[in-house]
Amino acid sequence: MNTADFEIKTNIQISKPAAEVFEAIVDPAKMSNYFIAKGSARLKEGEQVMWSFPEFEGEYPVNVKKIEPGKLISLTWDVEGTPFLVEMILIPRGDNATKLTVTEKSTAAEQPSVQWLKNNTEGWANFSACLKAYLEYGINLRKGAFDFISGDK
């Protein structure tokens, strides 16, 4: 990474085993409880899935690059014509906790990259917090949180 590039990195500890955290990310039925409205399929290495979000129109392609069950999810997704690499690393912390690190790889430190950095840093931090709330407490923090974007009341 060039020192003039931006990279997003978020970390959170979730009080669940790595296998359970992993499943909540790769299974679209579970992911729809905290992040997406709908996913076309389970995340599988070498395949493309489509994600839709409750607050945005359309579907977004996600290309799965690498999967290591319980340890790593690597994917690219297209942001306004540019594919960005996202890596999710799961590190067990004892028997019943997992450190999740989400990194969205670098983009040039220039406009419109500053807006990308702002939006996606908020997005991945939100993803992590919503995943934690869903797995630990069974609640969907995202539900209704972004109705103001789509104009819903």
Side-chain angles (χ1 to χ4, degrees), residues 6-100:
F6 288 131
E7 182 175 278
I8 294 167
K9 184 176 280 192
T10 65
N11 293 286
I12 198 165
Q13 183 165 308
I14 299 171
S15 296
K16 294 291 177 177
E20 191 172 337
V21 175
F22 177 83
E23 279 302 310
I25 297 170
V26 299
D27 182 344
K30 291 178 180 172
M31 194 180 251
S32 68
N33 288 302
Y34 68 91
F35 186 57
I36 59 175
K38 181 179 161 191
S40 63
R42 182 179 175 84
L43 298 181
K44 291 184 182 173
E45 190 168 314
E47 295 189 14
Q48 182 181 77
V49 300
M50 301 299 286
W51 284 348
S52 62
F53 294 87
E55 65 274 10
F56 302 112
E57 292 290 320
E59 294 183 320
Y60 298 86
V62 175
N63 295 296
V64 184
K65 299 299 183 186
K66 187 170 184 173
I67 295 280
E68 292 180 26
K71 296 179 182 178
L72 172 73
I73 300 157
S74 176
L75 56 88
T76 61
W77 67 337
D78 187 77
V79 180
E80 298 178 7
T82 302
F84 285 94
L85 177 64
V86 176
E87 291 181 342
M88 300 180 197
I89 298 171
L90 295 86
I91 299 172
R93 308 239 336 133
D95 291 337
N96 219 14
T98 305
K99 177 186 173 194
L100 172 65

